[in-house]
Amino acid sequence: MMTTSPNFRIATYNLHKCRGFDFRIVPERILNVLKELDADILCLQEVANVPTGPPQWNQAHAIAETFPDFHVAFGANRPFQGGTYGNMTLSRFPIVSWKNHDLSRERREPRGVLQTEIEIARGAVVHVFNVHLGTGHMERRYQARKLLNPEVLEQPDLVGPRLVLGDFNEWTRGITTRLLQSSFKTFRPRHVGRYPRTFPGMLPLVSLDHCYYDEPLHVQSSRLWRSKMALWASDHLPLIVDFYVSNVSRMPRHTREHSAA
C-alpha cells in the first residue's frame, strides 16, 4: 500500500472573461498569470468557450493549449456569443470523472458548480467543487441550501475528502459562509497587505474568493497572487493554496466506477 503523502497546489481564479482592470479583453494576460501560479490544479470561473467565434472568446481552448499536459473539464452554465460560458478545471493529476451541477435561481443569471474527481495518488481521490455563486443575497441563500444537500456536497456515495473553492460572491458572514464553515475547514489567506481581500484586483476591498476542505487535507500555505500582471488581467486576484495529505495510505480507497466525460 502506498504510504507517501503527496503535496499539491490548487488555485482559484475568476477570469472575468479575460476583461482586465483597463476594460480590455486580453486572454494573453490571463494565460501569463496562470503560468505564474505554477499550480497542479486550476479552478477557473467566468471562462468563455466559443470555438467558432473570434480568438478573444475562444478562451477555454487557449487555456487548454497553454497547459497541454493537464486534464481538462468544462462546465457550461449559459450560452454566450454563439458558444458557452462557465467554470473550467485543469489538473496535472488524472480527472477520473466530472459533472456540472446547476445552481441557477429563476430570473437570475445561470450559475453552477463543476465537480471533478481528481486522483492525487494511486486510488486516492479528492472531490473538487469549482463554485461560482450569484450576486444577490436571496439568490445565494437559495444556492447555499442547494449546495449543501445530497445532490451536491452531501452526496452519500462520495469517498474521500472534498475541496470546495471559487467565487462565492459573499464578503460578509452570510448563510453560505456559515453553512460551509459548519461542515468544512477553512482559513484566511496570507496577503502582502494587512487584509486578505480579493476584489477588485487593483485595490481589493472585499473577499469574494474562498476555499473549504476536509481532512486528511491540511493547508501548508496560502496566499493571494499580486503580480503586476495579475493586478491588471482580471477584476479578481488568484487565491493559491498548498495542501498536503497527512497520510494518504489512510484515505478511503475510491471504489466507484467512473469515466471522464
Side-chain angles (χ1 to χ4, degrees):
M1 179 172 289
M2 184 174 182
T3 57
T4 303
S5 294
N7 295 357
F8 65 92
R9 172 173 290 183
I10 191 167
T12 177
Y13 189 20
N14 185 323
L15 307 189
H16 194 46
K17 307 187 199 71
C18 298
R19 188 185 301 276
F21 220 73
D22 55 3
F23 302 104
R24 295 192 301 134
I25 300 169
V26 186
E28 291 76 17
R29 293 189 298 201
I30 290 291
L31 299 178
N32 286 332
V33 173
L34 294 178
K35 287 186 284 188
E36 290 174 352
L37 302 180
D38 192 27
D40 300 299
I41 303 171
L42 291 165
C43 293
L44 312 176
Q45 304 88 43
E46 293 197 31
V47 183
N49 181 24
V50 189
T52 59
Q56 68 174 3
W57 296 130
N58 200 8
Q59 296 168 5
H61 177 73
I63 294 167
E65 273 198 328
T66 302
F67 297 92
D69 297 328
F70 279 54
H71 305 265
V72 178
F74 186 86
N77 294 327
R78 66 176 174 90
F80 180 80
Q81 298 287 330
T84 56
Y85 163 84
N87 301 343
M88 185 175 184
T89 299
L90 299 93
S91 172
R92 293 187 200 271
F93 309 107
I95 296 177
V96 297
S97 70
W98 66 270
K99 179 180 180 180
N100 200 47
H101 300 275
D102 184 9
L103 299 182
S104 305
R105 192 181 188 199
E106 189 177 357
R107 293 189 294 275
R108 302 289 296 185
E109 179 181 342
R111 302 282 182 171
V113 52
L114 176 60
Q115 174 186 346
T116 50
E117 274 64 49
I118 297 179
E119 190 174 40
I120 61 168
R122 186 175 177 83
V125 166
V126 175
H127 306 281
V128 177
F129 293 84
N130 181 357
V131 177
H132 191 194
L133 300 186
T135 57
H137 175 71
M138 295 306 296
E139 178 185 15
R140 286 196 306 278
R141 290 178 66 89
Y142 167 83
Q143 290 169 340
R145 293 190 175 97
K146 196 167 183 180
L147 194 61
L148 271 297
N149 73 19
E151 294 178 7
V152 187
L153 292 181
E154 301 294 340
Q155 296 171 56
D157 56 350
L158 289 184
V159 178
R162 298 161 297 173
L163 243 174
V164 188
L165 70 170
D167 179 4
F168 291 83
N169 269 313
E170 187 160 86
W171 57 92
T172 60
R173 198 170 184 273
I175 187 171
T176 308
T177 300
R178 294 197 304 272
L179 287 174
L180 287 167
Q181 286 183 347
S182 69
S183 301
F184 295 88
K185 292 182 173 295
T186 190
F187 56 89
R188 286 175 66 83
R190 298 179 68 87
H191 191 277
V192 294
R194 185 176 178 184
Y195 300 107
R197 294 166 175 170
T198 66
F199 177 89
M202 184 65 73
L203 184 64
L205 301 174
V206 295
S207 286
L208 304 181
D209 307 271
H210 306 281
C211 177
Y212 302 89
Y213 63 96
D214 288 321
E215 291 184 342
L217 299 179
H218 301 274
V219 174
Q220 192 170 39
S221 63
S222 64
R223 58 178 167 150
L224 302 177
W225 189 254
R226 286 179 55 87
S227 69
K228 291 181 179 179
M229 188 69 70
L231 292 175
W232 284 98
S234 172
D235 61 348
H236 284 248
L237 292 174
L239 168 61
I240 300 173
V241 193
D242 290 302
F243 280 101
Y244 70 95
V245 183
S246 54
N247 192 337
V248 74
S249 66
R250 299 184 64 182
M251 283 180 64
R253 300 296 91 186
H254 189 67
T255 56
R256 289 175 60 196
E257 289 295 327
H258 284 278
S259 60

